[in-house]
Amino acid sequence: MSRYLARRIGQALLVLWATFSLSFILLQVLPGDAILIKFQNPDMGLSPAQIADMRAAYGADVSLWQQYLHALGNVLRGDLGYSIQAGVPVTELLATNLPATLQLALLGFSLALILALAFISNLTRFGWLRSLLQSLPSLFVSVPTFWLGIVLIQLFSFRLKLIPVINPGEWEGLILPIVTLAIPISAPLAQILIRSIDQVQTQPFVAVARAKGASRSRVLWRHVARNAMLPVLTIAGILLGELIAGALITETVFGRSGLGQLTLQAVLNQDVAVLQAIVVISAAAFVTLNLLVDLLFPLLDPRLKTHTGAAV
């Protein structure tokens, strides 16, 4: 098991390195220069020599390879660099904006799980309701996040005037963003869960449980659900990582503070250090979540634990 864990951690570190390297190259080849954008402003009154000194202070006057090695070394030490526009360490900006994004993402994912469970058609005996529940995920999965957010604002804020979007309360301001995030994420969760439950219910042990007199709900939750959760857990780990990217878009639509607004400002000002840090943080969250999912698999299915132990 230790060898398996070491191999998975090594793969995760390789993905993070590749993400950092690729994002560094793409950000460096973008047209424009964030330092010139800020310091060539006539209002600042800086001479060309002073601007050259600023480029040297930010390490922009050396070759691309030297910049890459310097940035990689700083990241390994936990130093994500300085924001050119804000003039503060990037870690301070992340510490200020990351909690709001995490709160939105976790609440949105929790609501998505609740909606996915509500879509389980096996809980109802009515054919029309079963067909409706099975068709909703296909509809929700095709809804763009930004479009859904705009529609919810138009409906609940401007027409019905139920939830204000201008100076809302702390929790009022979370309602529409959470729903906007949850609906598209709940759809693939529900689709995988419904398909997995249908497959597990055809297994012989389910027929044996029913033959022993177990009720429908007991068979579903005690025998079927645990075995059906494995593929759902896989897609949940992927979607939770993607949910952070969805949160960035949602924050921009609703004008909420967080990584979304920070990303938007960094793009407008070509603040490479901030953009690089957001990409690395997002990749680290995605890789960590999927690593945890892989480690949880043997706990849910003893067969995988035995197979893993035999393989290592």
Side-chain angles (χ1 to χ4, degrees):
M1 185 64 183
S2 59
R3 189 177 302 175
Y4 170 77
L5 180 60
R7 184 169 65 250
R8 292 293 292 113
I9 293 176
Q11 292 172 351
L13 293 176
L14 181 61
V15 170
L16 290 177
W17 171 77
T19 301
F20 172 84
S21 301
L22 183 60
S23 62
F24 179 86
I25 295 173
L26 293 177
L27 290 173
Q28 291 297 327
V29 300
L30 289 176
D33 190 320
I35 298 177
L36 297 181
I37 291 175
K38 180 176 182 179
F39 295 107
Q40 275 189 339
N41 189 337
D43 296 335
M44 300 189 70
L46 297 180
S47 65
Q50 290 174 318
I51 294 176
D53 291 339
M54 296 303 301
R55 290 182 58 83
Y58 281 99
D61 61 336
V62 297
S63 65
L64 187 61
W65 276 108
Q66 290 175 303
Q67 294 182 44
Y68 170 78
L69 294 176
H70 179 71
L72 181 59
N74 287 342
V75 169
L76 293 177
R77 292 191 298 268
D79 182 5
L80 299 177
Y82 278 79
S83 168
I84 296 176
Q85 292 299 319
V88 298
V90 176
T91 51
E92 291 187 12
L93 295 177
L94 293 177
T96 303
N97 293 276
L98 184 59
T101 299
L102 289 179
Q103 180 190 37
L104 179 60
L106 292 176
L107 290 176
F109 187 73
S110 299
L111 180 59
L113 288 177
I114 295 173
L115 292 176
L117 292 175
F119 288 146
I120 301 178
S121 60
N122 306 75
L123 296 180
T124 178
R125 298 177 183 273
F126 300 102
W128 64 271
L129 183 56
R130 185 184 303 113
S131 300
L132 176 62
L133 291 174
Q134 289 180 337
S135 62
L136 284 179
S138 300
L139 173 64
F140 287 168
V141 77
S142 61
V143 176
T145 302
F146 69 91
W147 179 85
L148 178 61
I150 294 174
V151 170
L152 292 178
I153 291 174
Q154 289 287 341
L155 178 61
F156 290 99
S157 297
F158 296 153
R159 292 187 178 273
L160 300 180
K161 301 184 183 302
L162 295 176
I163 303 175
V165 293
I166 300 176
N167 296 325
E170 180 180 357
W171 291 103
E172 282 183 329
L174 282 172
I175 295 176
L176 293 183
I178 289 174
V179 174
T180 302
L181 277 179
I183 287 180
I185 295 297
S186 67
L189 285 174
Q191 289 177 324
I192 298 297
L193 184 57
I194 291 172
R195 187 177 301 112
S196 181
I197 287 177
D198 290 340
Q199 292 175 350
V200 172
Q201 283 187 329
T202 62
Q203 299 299 316
F205 69 87
V206 176
V208 172
R210 289 175 178 172
K212 290 182 177 180
S215 64
R216 179 183 179 89
S217 60
R218 180 179 176 83
V219 170
L220 176 63
W221 296 111
R222 185 176 179 84
H223 300 280
V224 176
R226 181 174 179 178
N227 293 275
M229 284 302 296
L230 291 177
V232 178
L233 188 60
T234 302
I235 193 66
I238 297 174
L239 292 176
L240 185 55
E242 294 180 353
L243 195 61
I244 297 178
L248 303 186
I249 299 174
T250 304
E251 287 173 349
T252 303
V253 172
F254 288 91
R256 291 181 52 84
S257 61
L259 292 185
Q261 288 293 331
L262 184 61
T263 303
L264 178 61
Q265 293 299 320
V267 170
L268 294 177
N269 297 312
Q270 294 188 359
D271 203 338
V272 174
V274 175
L275 292 173
Q276 179 89 59
I278 292 174
V279 171
V280 172
I281 291 295
S282 301
F286 185 84
V287 168
T288 302
L289 289 171
N290 282 274
L291 179 60
L292 292 177
V293 168
D294 288 345
L295 296 179
L296 284 175
F297 268 13
L299 300 179
L300 296 176
D301 193 338
R303 296 172 300 178
L304 295 177
K305 185 176 182 180
T306 302
H307 176 72
T308 302
V312 296

